[in-house]
Amino acid sequence: MPVVLGYDESSGSKCALRVAIEMSAAFGEPLVLVFGAAVPGSLGEEYHAHREAVLEAGRRALDEAVAVAETAGVPTTVEIIDDKPAPALLAAAERHRARFVVVGSWGESPMRGALLGSTPHKLLHLSSIPVVCVPTRE
């Protein structure tokens, strides 16, 4: 039962990466690194260029996270999913029958998260498995 981590190179996801690696190592389970890459729009050359740029950013971000996990001796799987972060993480967690979903928190207030629809907030309400929200440490 792997650990699924939402990773996007933000300071919150970097803190979450450390925790997810610790959890994966403690349970002797692999780490599934997920980048939700939904791009607004659906038509035209501009959309395709934007989508390719987002996918490339996701690949670079996940390559960095894989290197950190491998240095810690944790095996990884990488998924770039063409969906918003919360649905992408939920789909990956279901597909891999994950033990936990781990995400970083931006330190938003509960009200701000509820109003803006933060990924951790959505996961806490929609996930059928435990969600670990890691606070950002500055």
Side-chain angles (χ1 to χ4, degrees), residues 4 25-26 28 42 53 56 67 73 75 82 85 92 103 105 112 114-115 122 125 138:
V4 169
S42 63
E56 180 57 32
D82 192 10
V103 289
S105 168
R112 180 177 163 100
L115 291 173
K122 287 177 185 174
H125 288 281
E138 295 300 326

Side-chain angles (χ1 to χ4, degrees), residues 4-128:
V4 169
L5 170 68
Y7 192 80
D8 64 3
E9 276 190 310
S10 66
S11 57
S13 70
K14 288 180 180 184
C15 291
L17 174 62
R18 288 191 295 271
V19 171
I21 288 171
E22 290 172 9
M23 293 172 73
S24 291
F27 286 107
E29 300 286 358
L31 178 60
V32 179
L33 298 157
V34 177
F35 183 87
V39 177
S42 63
L43 298 172
E45 192 174 315
E46 185 175 299
Y47 164 78
H48 293 292
H50 187 150
R51 183 174 185 276
E52 190 53 43
V54 169
L55 293 173
E56 180 57 32
R59 286 188 283 271
R60 277 195 317 272
L62 293 177
D63 286 347
E64 173 188 303
V66 166
V68 173
E70 287 179 350
T71 298
V74 173
T76 61
T77 299
V78 170
E79 291 196 19
I80 298 176
I81 300 173
D82 192 10
D83 205 346
K84 293 179 182 175
L89 288 165
L90 292 170
E94 183 177 327
R95 194 170 35 263
H96 291 278
R97 296 182 0 188
R99 182 181 299 269
F100 303 102
V101 175
V102 181
V103 289
S105 168
W106 286 84
E108 294 174 342
S109 71
M111 181 61 77
R112 180 177 163 100
L115 291 173
L116 298 178
S118 73
T119 298
H121 188 263
K122 287 177 185 174
L123 289 171
L124 288 169
H125 288 281
L126 298 174
S127 181
S128 61

